[in-house]
Amino acid sequence: MAFSSGFSPHPRISYANAAPTGVASEAEYVEIGVVTRCDPLDIRQRLDAALPPGLDIVDVVEALTPDFAARLEASRWSIELAGVTRATLADAVDTLMACAEAPIERMTKGGLRTIDVRSAILAAEVVDSDPDATHATAEIPSSSPCAILKVVVRQVTPTVRPDDILAALRSVADFVPPVPALVTREQQGPLAAEGVFIQDPLAPDRESAGADGTPVVP
Amino acid sequence: MSASVYPQLERVLPLVQKPIQYVGGEVNAVTKDWEQAAVRWALMYPDAYEVGAPNQGVQILYEVINERDDALAERTYAVWPDLESLMRANGIPQFTVDAHRPVVDFDLLGISFATELGYTNMLTALDLAGIPIHAADRGDSHPLVIAGGHAAFNPEPIADFLDAAVLGDGEQAVLAITDLVRDFKAAGSQGGRAALLDLLAASGVAYVPSRYEVEYLADGRIKRVKPVDAGVPWRVAKHTVMDLDDWDYPRAPLVPLAETVHERMSVEIFRGCTRGCRFCQAGMITRPVRERSKAGIEQMVARGLTATGFEEVGLLSLSSADHSDIAPLTKSLADCYSSSQTSLSLPSTRVDAFNVDLANELSRNGRRSGLTFAPEGGSERMRRVINKMVSEEDLIRTVTTAYAAGWRNVKLYFMCGLPTETDEDVLQIARLAKEVIRVGREVSGTRDIRCTVSIGGFVPKPHTPFQWAAQCDHETTDARLAKLRDAVRSDKQFGKAIGFRYHDGKPGIVEGLLSRGDRRVGAVIEQAWRDGARFDGWSEHFDYDRWMAAADTAWNDAPVDVDWFTIRERDHAEVLPWDHLDSGLDREWLWADWQDALDQVEVDDCRWTPCFDCGVCDQMGTEIQIGPTTSTIDLPIPTVTATARA
């Protein structure tokens, strides 16, 4: 692993656009600097061996193109709300989407900031929960309804996070979930030219690498 | 079966501060099959994860127990008040961070008390776990609650809440208790909880408070403490692990997930200390000195780094520069690791030039920022009272060496409120600090040097020569510290180069109450906890007035009060609450040492001078184990730390 130069060297590792603590993710990206060229598959296996259960390395790609973090233009989130019917959630989401803007306040390192949630939302859809999923809690038996909000959010500064979306739903539609939401980031990457589809952010590196994994010299 | 509470916990984690501390799954954490283990321990450090996770005692016992095929151990820590209220609202019980099992499902709950200020956190954990806080109210379905750690040398203030306490080194004691519980369960748990406690009490492995009765005199003093039943020993002795090379734990240290108070791997290079500082409970109760060999330490460093990837190693003990092989050890470790990203540190408190040489060796390539020394007493007279044999000349020579070698900040530790102390003794600290800056500027040739003076309030502790002493009241402590602060700040020439850190005297009074209290203090702890006391070691949570109000409520018509337990001097004849707990120290030797303190008579270190009959080795059947040893091993340089400087 490579270290930064200077008086207190730090490992060269950067977490691009990391998900907030307490939410699940299926699409996190980490850039790691190494000292010598390594086999990506070997790195993947060794990292997997060291990581605790539940943290899996999905793929390792040699970075052959610059500005990786800038490619993470948007995220698709799944916000699972136990004890909420699909209709209730859909009404609240419709109200939010009908707004021109939905400002909420959040304490950031720079002080209290006002953030417009609405302008960052590119698409929102309400679906029923997977009937096999278990989301029973002490207060919510498993027979209760559960609605899921699938939402595509543009990466802006400051970042609009899933709890900001919930704050906006509370603010514009008085929507208050009975128990905390279970949130999962499903996808991250560049937006397709039209619409709200998220593409593979590693695609440029994969393309640069050619079929046998060696870099293609332009 | 014991089901994970994680599905419920996960719902509330987004609502709390630093939720990462509750999820477990650290590198080297162990989760074993519940059904395969005959004996199940929950091990608690009763403070937040960031303080508890690096704790060596818990990590050692966790590994020692989990190595057995017939036992398992999981860890639990104090939850912050934000999670506590959410757990209460959602019916989530106190859980382990490993498999998130309810603590109440375990056979034993072992709690390590490094400080008495964790007592209220124990009550929170018991209550959240659904375990009755009073031992007398527990039944067969509840774990045995067992205290260990230094504070367990006087467990009397928490006697009502404990089933047992283990004195001294825990490694062999937990194995013995595990055997006892396994055999008891295998034989059908005949007689239930009471029978198990009888067995434990009779074995002498642990102290079982409920099997002892305390009688009091009308004036409040203790009349006597006696076993309730025949077969229960009159005194319970501490455990001492010998041959530390055979107990090379932790072998695979935990790598905490969240930022903690010690961001390094610790390797204990010896246990015990015979310097004889009279205020130091750790030095008194951990005798005799038992060193790990140089080769054993090198192996622990190499193996631990391979298992963890830590970038800093701390060589821990009560006085690390005293290890017989410390110079060759630091040289060989520095040779091995100075070209890697791994740095080494030595808690540097011994006031002599040799200590500076060691620190220089360990910082060959690194920054020479701060070096810490602990003269403890401000005046020569005070240092004779506490048996910290450092002359002013020693101190000046040491700091001169340090500044000349490029160190920019020297930190000095002192105590305030020591027995016989006057304002003049404490004001000497200001004079010393100014002298340190004066010589420092001279030898370093720069004004850009600092001296930080840190002052702690002295709290008399059980099993020390000062166990009879009157604690200094907080008004006097605060007044002395204010005078000292003014003396430092008013100095135009040096004042700005001297940092001054201290705490007010009030928390020390509560610590003193809990340290030297007897069973009657339990009612105050319970009252304070019911009134909201949590995390008493944290200044933002500690509330002195709450404790004083709790004492007033609990001791409405008792012959004792807070002053009686803290600022009152005891005489030779008084039965002390911990007299039936045997640290090996001969009571008469302790008393003679107390009298020597008052006469300013010093005592030597028995490692280098003849035995002075403190009593420990005779009473415990132990001996001093020190080097030097000569064997060495080849150290592999961990490959993960290969350096690239761009």
Side-chain angles (χ1 to χ4, degrees), chain B residues 274-410:
Chain B
T274 39
R275 288 246 159 201
C277 304
R278 291 176 174 127
F279 55 84
C280 179
Q281 186 190 40
M284 292 289 164
I285 62 179
T286 60
R287 295 170 176 220
V289 171
R290 292 146 286 149
E291 288 184 356
R292 274 202 171 98
S293 67
K294 175 170 171 284
I297 295 163
E298 288 166 346
Q299 192 177 10
M300 283 184 77
V301 171
R303 191 177 49 198
L305 286 173
T306 306
T308 60
F310 273 112
E311 288 167 2
E312 184 180 342
V313 180
L315 301 174
L316 295 197
S317 73
L318 290 171
S319 180
S320 291
D322 287 345
H323 191 287
S324 333
D325 274 327
I326 195 67
L329 175 68
T330 48
K331 179 173 186 311
S332 84
L333 291 174
D335 287 347
C336 182
Y337 295 105
S338 61
S339 62
S340 73
Q341 288 299 334
T342 306
S343 65
L344 299 151
S345 68
L346 199 65
S348 48
T349 56
R350 209 176 95 178
V351 187
D352 58 32
F354 174 62
N355 204 354
V356 180
D357 294 342
L358 296 174
N360 291 345
E361 187 79 332
L362 293 177
S363 61
R364 280 184 200 168
N365 301 334
R367 188 201 310 248
R368 290 186 177 171
S369 47
L371 209 50
T372 304
F373 303 103
E376 312 282 6
S379 66
E380 300 253 8
R381 188 192 77 79
M382 211 62 253
R383 292 194 290 274
R384 283 195 298 272
V385 169
I386 62 178
N387 198 44
K388 186 89 186 187
M389 292 190 280
V390 177
S391 66
E392 181 166 337
E393 200 188 333
D394 293 335
L395 177 68
I396 296 302
R397 189 173 340 120
T398 305
V399 300
T400 304
T401 313
Y403 286 125
W407 296 88
R408 283 287 160 266
N409 187 8
V410 165

Side-chain angles (χ1 to χ4, degrees), chain B residues 318-552:
Chain B
L318 290 171
S319 180
S320 291
D322 287 345
H323 191 287
S324 333
D325 274 327
I326 195 67
L329 175 68
T330 48
K331 179 173 186 311
S332 84
L333 291 174
D335 287 347
C336 182
Y337 295 105
S338 61
S339 62
S340 73
Q341 288 299 334
T342 306
S343 65
L344 299 151
S345 68
L346 199 65
S348 48
T349 56
R350 209 176 95 178
V351 187
D352 58 32
F354 174 62
N355 204 354
V356 180
D357 294 342
L358 296 174
N360 291 345
E361 187 79 332
L362 293 177
S363 61
R364 280 184 200 168
N365 301 334
R367 188 201 310 248
R368 290 186 177 171
S369 47
L371 209 50
T372 304
F373 303 103
E376 312 282 6
S379 66
E380 300 253 8
R381 188 192 77 79
M382 211 62 253
R383 292 194 290 274
R384 283 195 298 272
V385 169
I386 62 178
N387 198 44
K388 186 89 186 187
M389 292 190 280
V390 177
S391 66
E392 181 166 337
E393 200 188 333
D394 293 335
L395 177 68
I396 296 302
R397 189 173 340 120
T398 305
V399 300
T400 304
T401 313
Y403 286 125
W407 296 88
R408 283 287 160 266
N409 187 8
V410 165
K411 297 177 192 170
L412 300 177
Y413 276 17
F414 295 95
M415 281 187 295
C416 178
L418 290 159
T420 77
E421 179 185 279
T422 64
D423 287 0
E424 184 47 37
D425 291 310
V426 172
L427 287 171
Q428 291 287 317
I429 296 172
R431 200 184 54 75
L432 259 182
K434 290 177 204 167
E435 182 62 10
V436 164
I437 292 295
R438 195 189 63 75
V439 301
R441 284 177 180 172
E442 200 175 290
V443 298
S444 67
T446 170
R447 289 175 61 85
D448 183 26
I449 54 155
R450 287 187 62 76
C451 172
T452 305
V453 172
S454 279
I455 306 190
F458 169 65
V459 178
K461 295 278 172 161
H463 305 281
T464 69
F466 291 162
Q467 64 182 356
W468 289 281
Q471 186 174 350
C472 188
D473 62 83
H474 67 86
E475 293 90 345
T476 305
T477 300
D478 291 345
R480 267 184 203 148
L481 290 174
K483 283 179 193 163
L484 174 60
R485 184 194 59 213
D486 293 345
V488 170
R489 288 205 182 146
S490 64
D491 192 281
K492 296 268 188 297
Q493 202 179 357
F494 301 116
K496 285 208 165 68
I498 301 170
F500 188 56
R501 291 192 188 154
Y502 66 99
H503 297 290
D504 72 77
K506 283 176 174 175
I509 292 296
V510 173
E511 188 186 337
L513 171 70
L514 301 176
S515 293
R516 292 196 294 170
D518 58 35
R519 292 188 180 187
R520 291 168 293 189
V521 173
V524 180
I525 298 170
E526 183 178 343
Q527 186 64 48
W529 173 73
R530 292 196 185 284
D531 293 342
R534 306 282 188 278
F535 289 92
D536 290 297
W538 296 71
S539 53
E540 61 267 48
H541 289 280
F542 176 79
D543 183 345
Y544 179 78
D545 295 336
R546 174 160 55 206
W547 278 93
M548 294 307 113
D552 286 343

Side-chain angles (χ1 to χ4, degrees), chain B residues 557-575:
Chain B
D557 43 35
V560 294
D561 57 18
V562 174
D563 285 354
W564 192 87
F565 281 104
T566 54
I567 62 173
R568 178 180 65 97
E569 184 171 336
R570 283 71 158 166
D571 67 25
H572 181 254
E574 180 167 340
V575 176

Side-chain angles (χ1 to χ4, degrees), chain A residues 1-9 11-12 21-22 24 35 46 50 52-53 80-82 134-139 179-182, chain B residues 7-8 10-15 18-20 24-27 89-91 257 311 341 365-368 639-646:
Chain A
M1 179 165 222
F3 280 73
S4 61
S5 47
F7 222 61
S8 307
R12 285 206 185 274
T21 309
V35 184
R46 284 161 64 191
E80 188 179 322
L81 294 151
T134 57
H135 35 76
T137 68
E139 322 88 272
V179 292
L182 284 186
Chain B
Q8 297 99 286
E10 190 177 19
R11 295 265 173 189
V12 299
L13 286 184
L15 308 177
K18 298 187 190 171
I20 188 81
E26 300 95 332
V27 170
N90 290 280
L257 287 180
E311 288 167 2
Q341 288 299 334
N365 301 334
R367 188 201 310 248
R368 290 186 177 171
T639 51
V640 288
T641 52
T643 313
R645 286 174 195 270

